[in-house]
Amino acid sequence: MRIISLISSATEIICSLGCSDFLVGISHECDYPETIIDLPVCSEPRFNVDGSSIEVDNQVKSLLQEALSIYRIKENKISELKPDIIITQSQCNVCAVSLDDVQNALKKILKINPQIISLEPNNLNDVWMDIKKLGNKLNKKVAADEIVNSINDEILHLKKHNHSKSDINVACIEWIDPLMFAGNWVPEIVDIAGGNDLFGLKGRHSSWSNYSELYKKNPDKIVFMPCGYNIDKTKIEIEILYKKREWMELKAVKSGNIYIADGSQYFNRPGPRLLDSIKIMNDIIFDRDRYGFLGKGWEKIDKSFVS
């Protein structure tokens, strides 16, 4: 079986099922586990991914207005790899190569007929069902069931260990400029971890907003988890906020409860490591490092971050 995965979360699921040897191609965003990083890359962005959050947003919106795809499929590479299965997604046209892009390339250009599997998770249960869906397709049903059962067991254990939910109000930010609050599975993650998500809508796509809403709600903790950004990139992006008077007046800023999570590796990647995201959020809410992700999966921003 020859598989091309055009979405990083699917690549992780395939590897967790023990099927990494089936992969013959990946997307430009696939970087975990390390064993797959030398595989042929079958997609690339049409915009400068190294720009600031507002520059990326403007480029993406411009491409969409011109009815252009956000990502480019490397048709020749895909044709050369002769896949039996191509895995993509239809959850977000900014996250990865879309189902329409793949179908158009196959029909109009490549003249090949692999099976297309499209994932569209909106909540945690959808993610677990995607693991089972791919398990069934790859003849790894038992392995998929074991993974999902293990995740659910750990979630139950974590909930019991918390004893009771905290009264801590949390704002999870998925994009900085313009402001977007994290939706889909993130509010569930906050709830499981013991906090109260002030803005996200469970099972619904992340929502655009403005900073006046954030200032008005004045959360206890603010967690930055920009889609596609690591911790260092996010640090650069949030510096401008510390020059705003309203930002400096926030409860979370004054109490030193601003956090950065690696959104690219954890919260924005709907695969098995969402369990790690729950553990990260649990440590953020209760201000500790029980699960060992501090420094690699998340950091707390000191009050003197920008002097």
Side-chain angles (χ1 to χ4, degrees):
M1 193 178 298
R2 300 174 61 81
I3 301 173
I4 291 176
S5 171
L6 295 176
I7 179 170
S8 54
S9 56
T11 300
E12 292 194 22
I13 293 172
I14 290 166
C15 293
S16 72
L17 291 169
C19 296
S20 57
D21 289 346
F22 294 169
L23 284 167
V24 296
I26 56 175
S27 81
H28 61 283
E29 292 185 324
C30 295
D31 57 7
Y32 184 90
E34 290 186 2
T35 53
I36 57 90
I37 59 176
D38 292 327
L39 288 171
V41 175
C42 301
S43 65
E44 60 187 1
R46 292 180 185 268
F47 58 91
N48 177 18
V49 296
D50 295 321
S52 68
S53 58
I54 187 62
E55 289 170 343
V56 170
D57 181 71
N58 287 338
Q59 290 178 79
V60 167
K61 286 178 178 174
S62 176
L63 286 168
L64 291 175
Q65 287 172 356
E66 295 172 14
L68 295 173
S69 300
I70 304 301
Y71 301 105
R72 181 182 294 109
I73 295 175
K74 296 182 178 181
E75 292 95 350
N76 290 339
K77 179 60 65 176
I78 291 177
S79 180
E80 175 188 314
L81 293 172
K82 296 180 174 59
D84 302 305
I85 295 174
I86 297 178
I87 303 174
T88 185
Q89 57 88 50
S90 51
Q91 198 265 345
C92 174
N93 59 10
V94 181
C95 294
V97 175
S98 72
L99 177 60
D100 286 344
D101 289 341
V102 176
Q103 289 176 329
N104 289 336
L106 295 180
K107 290 177 182 177
K108 296 179 181 179
I109 303 169
L110 302 184
K111 311 300 184 189
I112 59 176
N113 190 35
Q115 181 182 5
I116 302 174
I117 299 175
S118 182
L119 307 181
E120 190 179 0
N122 291 299
N123 54 45
L124 288 179
N125 188 63
D126 288 347
V127 178
W128 314 150
M129 290 303 100
D130 281 344
I131 294 174
K132 292 189 174 187
K133 178 179 181 179
L134 289 179
N136 288 333
K137 291 290 184 181
L138 304 180
N139 297 317
K140 291 287 185 175
K141 183 181 184 304
V142 173
D145 288 343
E146 288 177 351
I147 290 168
V148 172
N149 290 340
S150 177
I151 289 171
N152 285 326
D153 287 345
E154 285 210 53
I155 289 174
L156 285 174
H157 177 74
L158 187 147
K159 284 181 173 180
K160 289 179 181 177
H161 201 78
N162 285 343
H163 299 299
S164 61
K165 209 166 176 289
S166 74
D167 294 323
I168 296 172
N169 293 319
V170 182
C172 295
I173 296 177
E174 190 169 310
W175 200 249
I176 299 164
D177 188 9
L179 179 66
M180 174 184 276
F181 294 115
N184 296 116
W185 45 84
V186 173
E188 287 181 88
I189 286 175
V190 175
D191 183 68
I192 292 168
N196 305 304
D197 190 299
L198 285 178
F199 297 100
L201 299 173
K202 294 180 183 179
R204 293 179 60 181
H205 196 59
S206 304
S207 58
W208 294 110
S209 187
N210 55 70
Y211 279 92
S212 62
E213 288 299 308
L214 181 68
Y215 301 148
K216 184 167 64 177
K217 291 275 185 90
N218 201 15
D220 300 307
K221 293 178 184 276
I222 297 174
V223 186
F224 289 96
M225 50 180 70
C227 190
Y229 282 13
N230 61 22
I231 292 172
D232 289 339
K233 171 69 172 173
T234 304
K235 282 181 181 177
I236 295 171
E237 287 292 304
I238 68 171
E239 284 184 5
I240 192 171
L241 295 176
Y242 283 81
K243 298 176 182 179
K244 299 178 183 291
R245 179 183 59 81
E246 298 93 338
W247 176 261
M248 298 305 294
E249 291 298 316
L250 283 169
K251 184 195 312 180
V253 176
K254 288 183 174 181
S255 61
N257 280 296
I258 305 296
Y259 304 82
I260 296 176
D262 190 329
S264 176
Q265 290 295 319
Y266 297 101
F267 293 88
N268 309 136
R269 195 173 292 201
R273 287 195 295 164
L274 283 185
L275 175 62
D276 292 339
S277 303
I278 294 170
K279 293 175 180 178
I280 289 170
M281 185 61 69
N282 185 253
D283 276 351
I284 286 174
I285 288 169
F286 293 99
D287 211 8
R288 63 196 178 193
D289 186 28
R290 170 176 289 161
Y291 296 106
F293 290 98
L294 179 61
K296 58 179 181 179
W298 67 282
E299 286 187 13
K300 187 174 184 178
I301 300 303
D302 190 85
K303 284 186 281 187
S304 61
F305 173 61
V306 177
S307 56

